[in-house]
Amino acid sequence: MKGPGHPERGGAHTIWSVFKLLLVVGFTVVTVANGQAPARLSIEVNHVVSLVSPTLYGLMTEEINHSYDGGLYAEMIQNRSFHEDWEGEPPWDLVRRGNSIASRMLDKSTGPSETLNYSMKLSVAEASVGNEAGLTNPGYWGYGLKPHTTYTGSLYAKVDDTGVGPIAIKMVSDATGKVLAQAKVVVEAGAWKRYEYKLVTGAEAASVANHLELTVAHAGTVWLQMVSLMPPTFHERPNGNRIDLMERMAAMHPGFLRLPGGNYLEGMTVQDRFNWKKTIGPLTDRAGHSGPWFYWSTDGLGLLEFLEWCEDLKVEPVLAVYAGYSLGGTHVAVGKDLEPYVQDALDEVEYVTGDATTKWGAERSKDGHPAPFPLHYIEIGNEDYLDKSGSYTERYAQFAEALHARYPEYKLIATDGNSEYETKVHPDVSDEHYYKSPADMMDLVHHYDQASRSGPKIFVGEWATRSGSPTPNFGDALGDAAWMTSMERNSDLIVMASYAPLLVNVSPGGMQWPTDLIGFNAGTTYVSPSYWAQSLFAGHLGDGTAQSSIAGENKRFFYSATVSNKERVLHLKLVNASNIDQPLMIDLNGVQGNHHAAITSLHGATFEATNTLSDPEAIRPVESKANISGSKWAHTVKALTIEVIDLPY
Ligand code: AHR
């Protein structure tokens, strides 16, 4: 295999003539160990052949696999606004203790806002203390409760008279019926009003198999809407995100967040696109919409929440704007018909970046975020090569011309995977997607080595090695690591890349797309071998690719050699996807004196080996050190092993 320093790119560098003599000694050391001839890896730490993009590794998510509702978005109550088209069984059922008599119905005649102009009507004919009646909600496959924790709740309610008494809100164990936390809301007679409550848990161990009950102890009628319950959130943001999932993402060292999707941007129909204007402002003004992954989206995680998520992770958004094509196959005709969508995109960029003197900047300020957000990239559409009408070229041009005229400072990303089409406004960047099996991903690693450097830059906006389910197995991690060596080597061309999908609720029925990086349920998360590979690669990225070459390696051995120039650290990624050990003689040209190499290894016994919710630590990184004296290093990478090595020089 040719490394980044091969003749076609940066000039050949052969140091083996000097090295040969020492190699004989090295051969003896490593061949004795495993009977296999060592490959010869040569690296010149002081010769950078190309730059590595600081934003190479980022995040891509969308509403799929209950990534947001029932996932990252911390709301615990399923279908809090009693939407009719909710996926599956309606989650709200009746609680009728003793001989209580009660019924429930969706009442389309009253609600707390113009958007939520309907509600759940609870009619209780008979109830008493000990024989309460009301509603129960299962949460998103349970409620993740932790000891000594405060959960913040709110609800909209209306009663005609107060005879029904207070509403008791209880978190109840499924197994024992034990009440784990409770609160009371006293509802005033008359108009709709918002009430707050808190549920505080005691010393009981963390659990998930719990449900919520809202009951009354007297006859009467109560109308309810937007019944919400939030755990503590990341950075204590109201209407914010789950802490554990945010921490998992932060530990991936991301450089950006591509939002809001994926297919989620497009929707199945034009009407069900991510219509950002309907996802901002008070929650009672957000109707929600039907997502492309077969369930209703509350839009509680709307455009502003996406941006605040970026802010919390200290990354920039890569903002994808709807470009007039939806998955069902419809597209909006170029010209007059497309104009309102182009205007929506212009307004969206203003909402993100405009100051409070602009119309949409003022709107964002009113929504609680006066400061504009940073932005460098705008993506026009998603996977528009699927639009068989061929209209993308013209649609792209209409969007690009308008965006470019108003915002010349931002780089525009096109989503036709071929990047060969002609448009009047050439894209700065082309978004290309790769979903492959482990074998196919490994066979793709030289795809960009000879690619033209004179066209648009590349954004690998979605990529994943896919064989494990629900999360990647070790074979996938090897495919991912092999692919990452290739992206690092070609990062002068590939400016950004984001694995997809990122999140999956692994509860039965939670997943729509197998092979997702991080698994979770209502109470806990676990990470896949691929997650470890990615966070290790991103945490040791470097800023330049060092001149290097390799010879004699097995067919499934891959590597990347980058340096952090200022800190003078070599980051070596070695990927042995073969079932035989790979001995190496490494010439660290430019490294002098004695050094400690910090080695982090990830190993799986088979391609199929993996982590699960019940065995989350089966595969995890192991740290070790190696002493290196001078510029020669005999080192063996065990079979089925990924190593990330930091070597100061
Ligand atoms: O990542 C899952 C889906 O794959 C995305 O929504 C879509 O863009 C791609 O086809």
Side-chain angles (χ1 to χ4, degrees), residues 434-453:
Y434 301 99
Y435 292 107
K436 301 273 176 197
S437 72
D440 291 342
M441 197 57 117
M442 288 176 208
D443 288 349
L444 197 72
V445 295
H446 297 296
H447 179 70
Y448 286 111
D449 289 354
Q450 311 300 333
S452 162
R453 264 51 183 176

Side-chain angles (χ1 to χ4, degrees), residues 156-178:
Y156 285 79
K158 183 175 103 75
V159 294
D160 287 339
D161 71 68
T162 55
V164 72
I167 302 173
I169 301 145
K170 295 177 185 161
M171 193 56 69
V172 183
S173 160
D174 292 350
T176 64
K178 186 173 177 188

Side-chain angles (χ1 to χ4, degrees), residues 60 62 64 262-264 266 293 382-383 433 435 462 500-501 513:
M60 188 275 173
E62 62 179 318
I64 185 173
N263 292 160
Y264 187 55
E266 309 156 73
W293 295 103
N382 174 62
E383 292 188 343
H433 295 177
Y435 292 107
E462 294 180 28
W513 175 286

